Every structure is written in structure tokens, then in C-alpha cells.
């Protein structure tokens, strides 16, 4: 998953988690970001979603950044701040989703999820020529030594990381939904 897709996915998962916990969010007087649904989501966010994107950055960073920046020139502290911001973007998605749920605009939340996922897929499709090959920043700029996406280890890594995120998200949403229904 390239960076733009990850960011849109992070935002969409936050809203989806808020929708799953709508029963709790509607009856709880607590701020949305300290509800059980939010805490479960933040655990998922920082233990599944952010590490999955960190995998792509650490092992295929130039591809992850769409060959726009040379990963070797980015200080590790800047990358760490970027991952924290990714987590905060997801938390912002939860907060937005919770606000929409509490004001009974769940349809708007659903549309926002759909648009966010659409933009994430669109970003990947717009950069499909860059994502079709794997190599370093220098290799991409010099058009040498690139390997097709489907023939390298990145393909297997993408399948594994996307599977982990999808299974984790399904488990999270089911857990939040069931937990919220028990409370309500």
C-alpha cells in the first residue's frame, strides 16, 4: 500500500470504527475519544495499521513514497513523526465519525468512508505506472534495475500486510459492534 492509499484507509477505518460503535457513542456522555470503541480502535491503529505502513516504509520505502522522495535522505525522526501523524489522522477519522453518529448523520459517515476509500484506490490507480515497478529511488529515476511488482518480495509482503490489516479490521469492527450492543 502506497502512502496516499494508507492515509485514506486510516481515515476511513476511523469513521468505520465509530459507525460500529454507534450504540455506545449515542448513549455515552463521555467524549468520543475516551470511549471503549475509541480505545479499541486506537489499539488497532497503533498495533496493526501503523506497523503495516511502517513495514512498507522500512523495506520498500521509495515505492511506498511513490519515488517522489529518496527514503535515505529522510531523517528517521521525520519518519517517526509521519507515522504518529498517520495514527492521529485515523483518530481524527474516529472523532469525525463519532460526531456524525452523535448528530444522527450516519449516512454522511458511510458516504465519507466510501469517498475516502475511493480516493485511496484512485491514488493508487493514478500512480499505477510508479507502483508497477520496484526498486530504489535512483533506479526509478535512472530507469535501470527495476523489478516488476508481481515478481519481487514486495508482492508477497503486500498480500501479507493487506491480509493482516483486513483481518484485523474485520475483527475490530465485529468486536466494537458486539461490545457496543452489549452496553446498549
Amino acid at each position: 500500500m502506497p502512502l496516499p492509499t494508507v492515509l485514506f484507509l486510516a481515515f476511513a477505518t476511523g469513521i468505520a470504527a465509530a459507525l460500529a460503535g454507534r450504540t455506545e457513542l449515542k448513549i455515552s456522555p463521555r467524549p468520543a475519544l475516551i470511549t471503549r470503541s475509541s480505545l479499541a480502535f486506537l489499539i488497532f491503529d497503533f498495533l496493526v495499521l501503523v506497523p503495516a505502513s511502517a513495514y512498507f516504509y522500512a523495506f520498500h520505502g521509495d515505492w511506498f513514497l511513490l519515488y517522489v522522495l529518496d527514503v535515505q535522505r529522510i531523517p528517521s525522526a521525520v519518519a517517526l513523526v509521519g507515522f504518529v501523524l498517520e495514527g492521529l489522522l485515523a483518530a481524527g477519522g474516529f472523532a469525525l465519525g463519532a460526531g456524525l453518529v452523535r448528530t444522527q448523520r450516519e449516512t454522511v459517515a458511510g458516504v465519507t468512508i466510501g469517498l475516502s476509500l475511493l480516493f485511496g484506490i484512485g491514488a493508487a490507480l493514478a500512480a499505477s505506472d510508479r507502483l508497477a515497478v520496484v526498486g530504489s529511488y535512483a533506479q526509478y529515476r535512472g530507469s535501470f534495475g527495476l523489478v516488476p511488482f508481481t515478481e519481487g518480495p514486495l508482492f508477497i509482503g503486500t498480500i501479507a500486510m493487506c491480509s493482516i490489516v483486513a483481518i484485523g479490521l474485520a475483527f475490530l469492527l465485529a468486536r466494537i459492534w458486539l461490545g457496543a450492543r452489549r452496553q446498549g
Side-chain angles (χ1 to χ4, degrees):
M1 292 185 287
L3 179 61
T5 302
V6 167
L7 295 177
F8 285 114
L9 177 65
F11 186 70
T13 58
I15 297 171
L19 275 177
R22 67 181 162 264
T23 304
E24 176 191 13
L25 289 168
K26 286 179 180 178
I27 62 172
S28 176
R30 294 185 290 182
L33 289 177
I34 60 169
T35 60
R36 287 183 183 205
S37 300
S38 173
L39 296 176
F41 172 71
L42 291 174
I43 289 169
F44 163 80
D45 187 24
F46 285 102
L47 292 181
V48 177
L49 193 60
V50 170
S53 62
Y55 161 81
F56 287 107
Y57 178 81
F59 295 105
H60 308 285
D62 295 320
W63 179 89
F64 177 71
L65 296 176
L66 302 173
Y67 305 105
V68 173
L69 297 170
D70 186 358
V71 171
Q72 293 181 359
R73 294 183 182 264
I74 300 173
S76 59
V78 172
L80 179 61
V81 168
F83 290 118
V84 169
L85 290 175
E86 174 191 341
L88 292 175
L89 176 66
F94 185 91
L96 174 66
L100 291 171
V101 163
R102 285 181 167 173
T103 58
Q104 299 181 355
R105 294 187 291 185
E106 295 170 358
T107 304
V108 175
V111 168
T112 305
I113 292 169
L115 287 174
S116 185
L117 293 176
L118 189 64
F119 285 135
I121 293 167
L125 291 175
S128 62
D129 59 324
R130 292 172 181 257
L131 297 174
V133 293
V134 181
S136 69
Y137 177 82
Q139 288 174 317
Y140 183 81
R141 292 293 173 202
S143 296
F144 69 91
L146 296 170
V147 177
F149 172 76
T150 56
E151 293 180 14
L154 176 58
F155 181 68
I156 300 299
T158 301
I159 291 171
M161 288 299 134
C162 289
S163 297
I164 289 168
V165 169
I167 291 168
L169 182 61
F171 179 78
L172 168 77
L173 295 178
R175 171 68 180 94
I176 290 174
W177 184 74
L178 290 173
R181 291 190 49 91
R182 278 190 217 122
Q183 282 184 334

